[in-house]
């Protein structure tokens, strides 16, 4: 059996989630974390000044057949939750960007994962200014190297930086009106550079 993901949630919670999302496959619960322990990903971890037992999240590189080629365990002490991974289609060096939701950072690595090139935000520190995030979720790139961040679970805004990470603009407040968000979960850009924001808890996409 190939294990692609592990959840320690109770079976009842997973069942409700699968029903809500109309999933056509079964979610397996590892409530007693036996699978986590077998794969060596369960143990003590720290977050926001607290220490507790939980899953050590690791990023993997897989080939087209699902075979693990390498893992990025060397960054476990830096990355808290790699909520999304991105490679700009306009970057010839194909840097890998990590949106670390719970670490409150945007991290840029060399493609081989050997070097941290750039970061935005302060680890484990939330905020609403231009140098901090509060549970960022996603990002998207423009041809000039600038990028938008979906920020996100708490801040309810979309924020844009230039290719060097300098703040350019932002919009969005918490709510359900036009231009307001209730959990900006992802952003996308079309050929005309219009921005599409997934406003998850309002059940809509805003353009």
């Amino acid at each position: 059996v190939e294990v692609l993901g592990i959840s320690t949630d109770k079976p009842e919670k997973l069942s409700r989630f699968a029903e809500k999302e109309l999933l056509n496959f079964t979610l397996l619960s590892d409530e007693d974390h036996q699978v986590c322990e077998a794969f060596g990903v369960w143990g003590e971890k720290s977050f926001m000044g607290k220490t507790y037992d939980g899953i050590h999240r690791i990023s993997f590189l897989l080939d087209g057949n699902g075979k693990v080629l390498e893992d990025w365990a060397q960054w476990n002490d830096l990355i808290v939750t790699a909520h999304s991974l991105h490679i700009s289609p306009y970057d010839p060096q194909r840097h890998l960007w990590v949106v670390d939701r719970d670490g409150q950072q945007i991290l840029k690595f060399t493609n081989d994962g050997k070097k941290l090139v750039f970061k935005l935000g302060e680890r484990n520190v939330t905020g609403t200014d231009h140098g901090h995030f509060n549970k960022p979720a996603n990002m998207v790139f423009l041809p000039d190297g600038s990028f938008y961040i979906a920020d996100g679970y708490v801040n309810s805004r979309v924020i844009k930086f230039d290719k060097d990470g300098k703040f350019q603009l932002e919009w969005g407040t918490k709510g359900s009106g036009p231009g307001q968000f209730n959990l900006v979960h992802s952003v996308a850009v079309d050929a005309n550079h219009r921005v599409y924001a997934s406003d998850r808890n309002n059940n809509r996409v805003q353009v």
Side-chain angles (χ1 to χ4, degrees):
V1 177
E2 290 189 69
V3 179
L4 300 181
I6 300 172
S7 173
T8 56
D9 290 326
K10 294 180 180 296
E12 298 79 16
K13 182 176 181 179
L14 293 180
S15 179
R16 290 195 299 270
F17 178 80
E19 182 178 351
K20 177 184 177 182
E21 301 298 329
L22 303 177
L23 301 182
N24 61 357
F25 53 87
T26 301
L27 296 174
L28 300 179
S29 171
D30 186 31
E31 188 178 357
D32 58 4
H33 45 82
Q34 289 186 6
V35 176
C36 292
E37 291 177 346
F39 278 84
V41 295
W42 180 267
E44 186 177 282
K45 57 191 297 186
S46 298
F47 175 59
M48 300 293 282
K50 298 180 180 179
T51 301
Y52 57 96
D53 286 339
I55 297 176
H56 294 286
R57 303 176 187 273
I58 302 173
S59 296
F60 295 93
L61 175 65
L62 309 179
D63 66 14
N65 297 315
K67 180 181 178 182
V68 176
L69 299 179
E70 62 185 64
D71 67 60
W72 284 29
Q74 70 269 27
W75 298 110
N76 282 357
D77 291 337
L78 173 65
I79 301 172
V80 181
T81 302
H83 187 266
S84 59
L85 307 176
H86 306 270
I87 295 177
S88 170
Y90 312 108
D91 177 12
Q93 298 181 51
R94 300 184 62 76
H95 290 92
L96 181 72
W97 296 69
V98 176
V99 178
D100 186 354
R101 184 190 65 188
D102 297 323
Q104 317 301 345
Q105 290 187 302
I106 312 300
L107 306 169
K108 179 183 180 182
F109 297 90
T110 53
N111 188 265
D112 58 10
K114 293 182 178 179
K115 183 179 180 181
L116 174 65
V117 177
F118 171 85
K119 63 181 178 181
L120 274 176
E122 187 176 356
R123 190 175 191 271
N124 293 340
V125 178
T126 62
T128 59
D129 57 34
H130 303 154
H132 293 87
F133 306 99
N134 202 336
K135 293 189 180 294
N138 194 259
M139 68 186 301
V140 68
F141 302 91
L142 292 173
D144 64 359
S146 61
F147 51 92
Y148 291 97
I149 302 293
D151 180 37
Y153 275 74
V154 178
N155 276 349
S156 300
R157 65 179 176 176
V158 175
I159 183 167
K160 184 183 181 185
F161 298 89
D162 70 12
K163 63 182 178 62
D164 298 315
K166 182 180 179 181
F167 169 80
Q168 292 191 311
L169 58 90
E170 69 171 275
W171 72 92
T173 57
K174 187 67 173 281
S176 57
Q180 293 185 311
F181 303 106
N182 187 0
L183 204 167
V184 193
H185 197 253
S186 62
V187 284
V189 176
D190 68 14
N192 295 315
H193 295 179
R194 290 176 296 195
V195 181
Y196 296 73
S198 171
D199 188 7
R200 190 167 84 173
N201 289 348
N202 283 327
N203 300 306
R204 64 186 181 181
V205 174
Q206 296 195 66
V207 183

